[in-house]
Amino acid sequence: ALLTLREAKFGQSRYVPLSLSATSALEGYLRDRARAFARPKSCALFLNRQGQRLTYRQARGTFATLRRQLGWQNQQPRPRLHDLRHTLASYRDTLRLLLAFVEQKTARPPAQQTLQDWNGPTILDFLDHLEKQRGCQTRTRNVRLAALRAFMRYVSEQAPDSLALASQVLAIPLK
């Protein structure tokens, strides 16, 4: 499913792809919301207990509660609600950079690349390229690697036949 965010940052609309589990959870929320508020006071998607638009302060409070429930209250640095947006953007940017790097290396556009193109040695070359050619600092390199590790964990769960390939990338250490 594709979620459309209207009048988001700088008044622009954005499209957010949703996984099946996120789509299912959102559908459940919408059913609960419809039962609780036949006529909500706001057209916003997320509402507070009074049926009004959820404020940033309320969202932050809910996120703090979730953080405590997940045992993240003592984690340093402490995850913030705003960080989620940056994490998603960082993952997107990492994949775009890797697709372009592999295209340059193999002369195959992204639509013709396969998962096998994203093996351990290629990822190491990509990380080296980020530092030496793009001038990224170690911290940025590690953020890009974290994104690729998350992707490869997903690949290993969804395509067990790619476990050996995913393991190559998951074994790459942070600097």
Side-chain angles (χ1 to χ4, degrees), residues 3 15 30 48 64 71 96 120:
L3 179 66
Y15 301 101
L30 290 173
N48 62 21
R96 284 181 180 167

Side-chain angles (χ1 to χ4, degrees), residues 151-169:
F151 177 74
M152 286 301 181
R153 277 192 298 275
Y154 175 79
V155 165
S156 67
E157 292 170 5
Q158 299 300 312
D161 55 318
S162 299
L163 190 56
L165 176 79
S167 294
Q168 291 177 9
V169 177

Side-chain angles (χ1 to χ4, degrees), residues 19 28 47 65 75 120 134 143 148 171:
S19 67
L47 304 176
T65 300
Q75 185 177 341
R134 291 186 57 91
V143 167
L148 294 171

Side-chain angles (χ1 to χ4, degrees), residues 23-162:
T23 301
S24 177
L26 189 56
E27 288 170 346
Y29 166 76
L30 290 173
R31 280 191 302 275
D32 292 346
R33 179 185 156 196
R35 276 192 296 261
F37 303 107
R39 294 187 181 182
K41 298 174 185 173
S42 171
C43 63
L45 177 62
F46 295 107
L47 304 176
N48 62 21
R49 290 188 173 122
Q50 290 75 40
Q52 300 166 332
R53 175 184 298 273
L54 189 66
T55 66
Y56 182 71
R57 183 176 181 186
Q58 291 165 331
R60 246 183 47 211
T62 300
F63 188 72
T65 300
L66 289 172
R67 203 172 44 226
R68 277 191 303 279
Q69 291 172 351
L70 292 168
W72 293 356
Q73 68 271 21
N74 295 324
Q75 185 177 341
Q76 293 299 326
R78 195 167 76 191
R80 300 172 303 161
L81 182 60
H82 190 73
D83 294 335
L84 295 177
R85 180 199 179 280
H86 292 284
T87 299
L88 295 175
S90 174
Y91 283 17
R92 177 204 61 211
D93 294 345
T94 298
L95 294 176
R96 284 181 180 167
L97 289 167
L98 180 59
L99 285 166
F101 176 80
V102 172
E103 180 175 12
Q104 185 179 28
K105 187 174 180 175
T106 65
R108 288 195 315 274
Q112 295 176 2
Q113 295 175 23
T114 67
L115 194 56
Q116 302 309 316
D117 292 320
W118 294 16
N119 57 43
T122 299
I123 300 302
L124 283 169
D125 288 346
F126 170 67
L127 296 171
D128 190 54
H129 162 80
L130 292 176
E131 288 184 290
K132 293 183 178 163
Q133 271 71 47
R134 291 186 57 91
C136 293
Q137 296 180 355
T138 301
R139 184 171 153 183
T140 302
R141 175 224 187 252
N142 287 340
V143 167
R144 302 290 185 220
L145 177 57
L148 294 171
R149 284 178 169 178
F151 177 74
M152 286 301 181
R153 277 192 298 275
Y154 175 79
V155 165
S156 67
E157 292 170 5
Q158 299 300 312
D161 55 318
S162 299

